[in-house]
Amino acid sequence: MIRPPAPLSTIFRDLVNRFRADIPALRRTGRYALLPELCVNCLGKDARQGLCSGCRSDLPINHTCCHRCGLPLILAMPRPGLICGECLKHPPAYDRAFMPWRYEFPVDRMISHYKYHRQRAFGRPLLADMAGHVEAYLAACPDQRPDLLVPAPMHRQRERQRGFNQAAEIAEAISQRTGIPWSGQRVRRVRKSAAQSGLDRQERLRNLRGVFEVNGEVPAHLAIVDDVVTTGATMRTLAWLLRKHGAERIQVWALARTPAHSGHQGFYMTGNGETGRESG
């Protein structure tokens, strides 16, 4: 019996990824002009902006979350205006968060392929849908429209290695859809910090001391843009710095928010000032 050099599932996965990566080049060169729009997750046909309707419906919507930091909350009776326990105990320097998805499958996988493996096909549907969500959000809450979008800065060495700053691409996509200006130079990362993964929030805050620098005038109302918010340490540091330089209202806009660890509990507060406990 002849054994394949690798498990068939691995071979098939590699072939699919190779084919998926070749699709944009085939379209640019004019070959396979009738090639259908394929879903980046399942390779199904009739996708819109890279996602079919089935995979788009599988995206984990961040329905019930902290009004201030976007942390997903598990509540029996969700209500608007909830504030998580961490924001009650240690309010961040920003006022409101807008994060349409939870950082769970398949959003986590899509962002990982986009961010770490330079497979922009996985990011394209998220950026397009994020811009649409922001547009709808601002239509419902016009007073939340900021004067400027500030992408979370990346150290120039790390940006050269990766080839792009995903936060800047998200900000640009939102700007093109809404007309809100964005600037990748208003805040700069002047020092390369150690990797944030594996650190808790306090360790991340210490790791970010002296990392960022404001360059130029800061508007009264702005939104910091990033791909994923985990502990919120980076957003807290940036918001504190921007508020110190004159910002009066600060929002955080990100593709996704990482849920709290299993068994996490915390207090929450409704918009009417009632207090309860988050479970799950």
Side-chain angles (χ1 to χ4, degrees), residues 138-161:
L138 295 179
C141 307
D143 61 313
Q144 298 301 320
R145 183 183 179 90
D147 302 315
L148 183 70
L149 304 178
V150 177
M154 182 182 294
H155 192 271
R156 57 184 179 275
Q157 180 182 345
R158 188 164 292 169
E159 186 171 351
R160 282 197 300 268
Q161 292 172 345

Side-chain angles (χ1 to χ4, degrees), residues 189-261:
R189 196 172 191 124
V190 295
R191 181 172 65 82
K192 187 178 179 181
S193 61
Q196 294 280 78
S197 57
L199 304 180
D200 61 25
R201 186 173 66 84
Q202 291 301 323
E203 292 170 333
R204 289 185 180 218
L205 287 170
R206 287 193 294 269
N207 191 38
L208 292 170
R209 288 175 183 168
V211 167
F212 303 112
E213 177 184 84
V214 171
N215 179 39
E217 185 179 352
V218 174
H221 186 187
L222 56 85
I224 306 171
V225 180
D226 207 353
D227 59 334
V228 180
V229 174
T230 305
T231 66
T234 300
M235 297 297 104
R236 284 173 176 263
T237 302
L238 285 171
W240 175 84
L241 182 63
L242 289 164
R243 197 172 287 277
K244 183 180 177 181
H245 282 77
E248 299 174 5
R249 296 176 61 195
I250 301 175
Q251 297 184 63
V252 172
W253 293 355
L255 300 179
R257 181 66 155 90
T258 302
H261 61 272

Side-chain angles (χ1 to χ4, degrees), residues 107-177:
V107 167
D108 54 355
R109 173 178 171 273
M110 294 173 68
I111 292 178
S112 178
H113 280 295
Y114 165 53
K115 183 176 177 179
Y116 299 114
H117 303 288
R118 304 181 184 181
Q119 297 181 6
R120 280 189 162 88
F122 285 92
R124 184 166 60 95
L126 294 179
L127 268 61
D129 284 11
M130 174 68 176
H133 285 307
V134 168
E135 187 176 46
Y137 162 65
L138 295 179
C141 307
D143 61 313
Q144 298 301 320
R145 183 183 179 90
D147 302 315
L148 183 70
L149 304 178
V150 177
M154 182 182 294
H155 192 271
R156 57 184 179 275
Q157 180 182 345
R158 188 164 292 169
E159 186 171 351
R160 282 197 300 268
Q161 292 172 345
R162 183 170 297 173
F164 65 99
N165 179 357
Q166 70 281 352
E169 293 195 348
I170 298 167
E172 184 177 15
I174 296 173
S175 177
Q176 290 176 349
R177 186 72 174 260

Side-chain angles (χ1 to χ4, degrees), residues 265-279:
Q265 289 187 333
F267 290 99
Y268 65 86
M269 179 174 287
T270 71
N272 296 324
E274 300 170 343
T275 305
R277 176 174 288 275
E278 173 204 347
S279 62

Side-chain angles (χ1 to χ4, degrees), residues 21-78:
D22 289 340
I23 290 175
L26 293 174
R27 287 204 175 96
R28 283 196 301 271
T29 58
R31 300 168 63 189
Y32 301 98
L34 298 179
L35 193 66
E37 178 81 5
L38 300 181
C39 176
V40 296
N41 279 335
C42 69
L43 291 182
K45 297 181 181 180
D46 301 323
R48 180 174 58 83
Q49 293 285 358
L51 276 181
C52 66
S53 58
C55 287
R56 182 168 272 107
S57 66
D58 286 339
L59 299 182
I61 303 298
N62 195 12
H63 285 296
T64 305
C65 60
C66 174
H67 177 81
R68 189 147 189 180
C69 75
L71 180 72
L73 304 175
I74 302 175
L75 303 170
M77 297 181 63

